Amino acid sequence: EREIFKVVKYFIGRTDWDKRVTAMLSPRAEYFYGSEILRRDFYSNSWTQKANDTKIFLSTIQVNIFKGLETVLASAVILKELGQFKFKWIIAGISDDDEVVELFEKKVGKKFSDYNIVLNGRVKASELIRIQLDADIFIHPSHIDNSPNSICEAMLLGMPVIATYTGGTGSLLIEKQEGILIQDGDPYSMAGAISELIHNPGYAVQLGQNARASAIKRHNPDEIVKNLLSIYSKIISNPA
């Protein structure tokens, strides 16, 4: 990748993080901002707060060691032992038999199944949306990311979002206005942010509404196409 960066003249990115990294790896290149069109169904659905006796949290996590699955487990342990409210934490993208499950259970010394965590495996977009609309909070625990679609889609639905402040996530939502950003790898911070939203439902709703307004503007398909055509036009007309 370093060799590729050396020869590429133009980059299209979406966050302060990827812009800064690009400036260091390819200082002579020109950088353009370009947002991303998301999956269609996320534009036509919107989240509303539910009166769930058992609070439902959702995380979408890929099968690798960098997505914060162990932070989820450690946070769930804290919340269950504190016992302030009942909850179920659904993990989409991870199955019971994935190797990372055993790896992180050994690391934390606890089992996911003992702490109300449901490993739901891979789900289709329609099923994922159904789960999101029924959930109370979307939680993104990743250790590294640029502009994860999972956060953008949750914002587009109008969900309250908690995310680790890592990579480009700080460019996606404004802290305490459109969601909550927490320290990476800190289960106490994650558990505390969850508790904060559960005990302040009006605040959670306001965060979701602000997030949706921001995401609708950022992911407007017509504006994205117009911007990309403008970028391509500038690149093509550049004699260099």
Side-chain angles (χ1 to χ4, degrees), residues 6 18 20-21 28 38 41-42 57 60 65-66 69 71 106 111-112 124 130 133 144 147 149 181 183 187 209 224:
K6 289 178 182 178
D18 69 26
R20 289 163 182 156
V21 171
R28 295 184 180 84
L38 301 176
D41 288 347
F42 286 90
F57 313 140
T60 58
I65 62 174
F66 305 114
L69 185 60
T71 311
K106 288 182 178 178
K111 286 188 171 294
F112 288 93
K124 296 181 179 179
R130 185 195 67 77
L133 294 178
I144 184 65
S147 58
N149 282 0
L181 295 170
Q183 295 86 343
Q209 291 175 347
I224 291 171

Side-chain angles (χ1 to χ4, degrees), residues 183-229:
Q183 295 86 343
D184 173 36
D186 184 346
Y188 285 93
S189 181
M190 180 172 288
I194 293 169
S195 179
E196 183 178 336
L197 293 187
I198 294 301
H199 289 112
N200 296 275
Y203 178 44
V205 169
Q206 188 62 58
L207 290 178
Q209 291 175 347
N210 293 344
R212 180 170 169 79
S214 177
I216 287 174
K217 182 177 180 180
R218 180 173 63 224
H219 300 288
N220 182 301
D222 293 336
E223 292 300 319
I224 291 171
V225 170
K226 185 188 301 183
N227 182 53
L228 283 174
L229 290 174

